[in-house]
Amino acid sequence: MGCPRGTGHNSPFRGVRELPGFTCGRVPAKVRQMFQVGHERSPRPPARPDAATPSAPETGRTGPRGGTGGAGRRDAFFDNAKFLAIALVVVGHAWRPVIDDSRAVLAAYNFVYAFHMPAFIIVSGYFSRSFDTRPSRVRRLVTGVLVPYLLFETAYSLFRKAADSPEHPISLLDPWYLTWFLIALFVWRLTTPVWKALRRPLPIALGIALLASVSPDIGNDLDLQRVLQLLPFFVLGLCLRPEHFERVRRRGVRLLSVPVAAAALVLAYWSGPRMNFEWFYHNSSGQELGVPWWIGVAMNLAMFACSLVLTACFFAWVPRRHTWFTALGAGTLYAYLLHGFLVQASRIFGWYDAFPWIATPAGVVALTIGAVALAAVLCGSPVRRAFRFAMEPRMDWLFGRDAAEDARRRSAVPAAPADSAGTAEPSGRADSR
């Protein structure tokens, strides 16, 4: 006699009639449900990610909503933020020679300098959250930050020696012009494990910055004054989570940011002739800027608060979607390091003096558009391919093999390949920067 319906050879109830207390075809509903659930095929566990692959906070793959978006996918929000920040850096350097001729340009200059580097440093700190002393991370820090610093500090020094200052020394301990950011990022990332181990790292970092602002004897070695005064922004980035960026994207925050930014512009216009704009450089103590030490402390606290507010306004309006400049966010280090040669050449060879119309309103608009275009070109793929040997050098010969890393790679199960719609450009070695 064959099995009744529901107890055939392929059924989960096959053999149930042989159990005591059960009659063939009269299986209780609860037991039937129990067997049915147990018979369903359980889903496969997700593929284990490669342990050697840098985690999302370091590669820039985690977005404001916390999703990773698949292997190799970059987050549009942060790439947009990085490009806009580096564009403001280039624009600010282009404006510098004309701020004495226009109070409006001076106000815009001070306004931009209040937040463009803090925003850049906060993003750098956010992407450094996963940094530790594993050999793979140290290798990336050396090849992506330290080696470019050594190369470009030497290149800028040679450029200045050849152009207008034959006596200018080549000193790797005294960063010249914009190379300070690389050595600062190197120091900040090296200290990341320390900040991650502290319960309240931000107040401690702010206290160190305030102490630096009243210490004129720090000197110029490694531009330590600027490294310490800007340290709180990096530590703040380490403390942030995706939900924090999501909060500043709320509609209410975006609407509030408009009058706040407008008020800041008005304040910048009023304070322009009354304030030393070198406060925004964070490379001098209060005493070196000609004020008592307690005014230096008050100024640095006020500027820290102002920078935080304006940086939040900046992030509130950074597009989350893909735009024409999203892909350029992966090359911000190239634009940062390369545009300085043109800026210094314009100063040394008197380009602004040769074209006095640049100081006119129309000239300033043209200068601003040209600076943004320059930033876009220097972030583009052709420039990145040409200078990758200096920015992202492959120096496997310099490092020994890491047995633990190799073992993790061998034991990792490769993830399923993504379809063509889910692939994106891989992250660069140094997100900064």
Side-chain angles (χ1 to χ4, degrees):
M1 179 177 176
C3 294
R5 184 179 179 182
T7 59
H9 293 289
N10 295 326
S11 172
F13 306 108
R14 182 185 177 192
V16 170
R17 59 182 175 180
E18 300 176 8
L19 297 176
F22 288 87
T23 305
C24 185
R26 295 175 177 263
V27 182
K30 291 185 178 181
V31 178
R32 181 183 291 273
Q33 184 181 6
M34 178 186 68
F35 275 88
Q36 184 66 38
V37 172
H39 181 70
E40 291 175 352
R41 185 183 181 123
S42 59
R44 281 185 167 186
R48 178 185 173 189
D50 187 354
T53 303
S55 58
E58 188 173 359
T59 61
R61 297 174 187 171
T62 301
R65 292 187 182 276
T68 57
R73 183 182 295 275
R74 298 180 64 93
D75 185 83
F77 172 82
F78 289 111
D79 278 338
N80 291 337
K82 289 196 296 180
F83 174 76
L84 292 175
I86 200 63
L88 290 175
V89 170
V90 180
V91 168
H93 288 161
W95 283 346
R96 176 62 183 87
V98 298
I99 61 175
D100 294 332
D101 302 319
S102 172
R103 184 172 178 178
V105 176
L106 175 60
Y109 181 86
N110 289 345
F111 174 79
V112 167
Y113 263 75
F115 72 90
H116 75 323
M117 283 310 295
F120 212 77
I121 295 169
I122 287 173
V123 173
S124 298
Y126 180 77
F127 288 131
S128 300
R129 293 180 302 156
S130 63
F131 181 82
D132 52 34
T133 56
R134 277 186 287 175
S136 61
R137 304 287 171 82
V138 174
R139 282 197 296 268
R140 288 187 61 184
L141 180 63
V142 170
T143 59
V145 178
L146 182 59
V147 171
Y149 167 73
L150 297 176
L151 293 177
F152 278 88
E153 175 62 25
T154 303
Y156 271 106
S157 298
L158 292 175
F159 176 80
R160 189 177 184 187
K161 286 174 71 72
D164 71 334
S165 299
E167 72 284 355
H168 180 75
I170 299 177
S171 175
L172 299 180
L173 296 179
D174 187 9
W176 182 66
Y177 197 38
L178 45 70
T179 56
W180 69 267
F181 179 75
L182 289 179
I183 199 63
L185 184 60
F186 183 76
V187 173
W188 293 334
R189 280 196 172 169
L190 278 182
T191 61
T192 293
V194 176
W195 301 113
K196 289 164 61 176
L198 297 177
R199 179 174 295 181
R200 296 288 185 268
L202 185 56
I204 296 176
L206 185 58
I208 292 175
L210 295 179
L211 286 175
S213 70
V214 297
S215 303
D217 296 331
I218 287 181
N220 296 324
D221 289 349
L222 300 182
D223 214 343
L224 199 57
Q225 186 70 251
R226 186 143 40 183
V227 172
L228 297 179
Q229 287 197 31
L230 292 172
L231 174 64
F233 297 106
F234 182 83
V235 174
L236 175 61
L238 291 176
C239 298
L240 293 179
R241 295 296 178 264
E243 55 268 22
H244 295 128
F245 290 96
E246 191 64 29
R247 289 173 187 169
V248 299
R249 295 285 305 169
R250 294 175 180 173
R251 178 178 175 83
V253 177
R254 298 182 72 180
L255 294 177
L256 181 61
S257 67
V258 175
V260 169
L265 272 172
V266 173
L267 178 62
Y269 187 85
W270 174 83
S271 63
R274 300 172 173 84
M275 177 182 174
N276 187 347
F277 60 80
E278 291 191 11
W279 284 105
F280 295 103
Y281 298 160
H282 297 281
N283 61 353
S284 302
S285 65
Q287 295 93 315
E288 291 173 302
L289 293 176
V291 299
W293 67 268
W294 60 270
I295 293 182
V297 172
M299 278 292 297
N300 275 275
L301 278 175
M303 293 187 64
F304 179 73
C306 179
S307 296
L308 284 186
V309 172
L310 292 180
T311 301
C313 295
F314 170 74
F315 285 138
W317 285 97
V318 171
R320 184 183 298 154
R321 66 185 185 280
H322 280 266
T323 65
W324 64 268
F325 55 82
T326 300
L328 302 178
T332 51
L333 181 64
Y334 293 78
Y336 179 81
L337 290 175
L338 294 175
H339 86 279
F341 290 104
L342 292 176
V343 173
Q344 289 300 314
S346 69
R347 179 188 62 82
I348 293 171
F349 301 114
W351 294 352
Y352 286 80
D353 296 331
F355 303 97
W357 63 270
I358 293 179
T360 65
V364 172
V365 172
L367 182 66
T368 303
I369 295 174
V372 175
L374 176 63
V377 170
L378 295 180
C379 289
S381 297
V383 174
R384 289 163 58 191
R385 285 194 297 267
F387 288 93
R388 184 165 286 135
F389 73 95
M391 309 286 192
E392 305 175 57
R394 298 189 62 86
M395 304 180 68
D396 297 337
W397 54 269
L398 185 62
F399 304 98
R401 294 184 64 87
D402 180 20
E405 203 74 25
D406 291 340
R408 282 193 291 268
R409 284 197 185 98
R410 287 193 298 268
S411 62
V413 179
D419 56 21
S420 58
T423 58
E425 183 184 45
S427 171
R429 289 190 177 212
D431 289 331
S432 80
R433 322 163 179 49

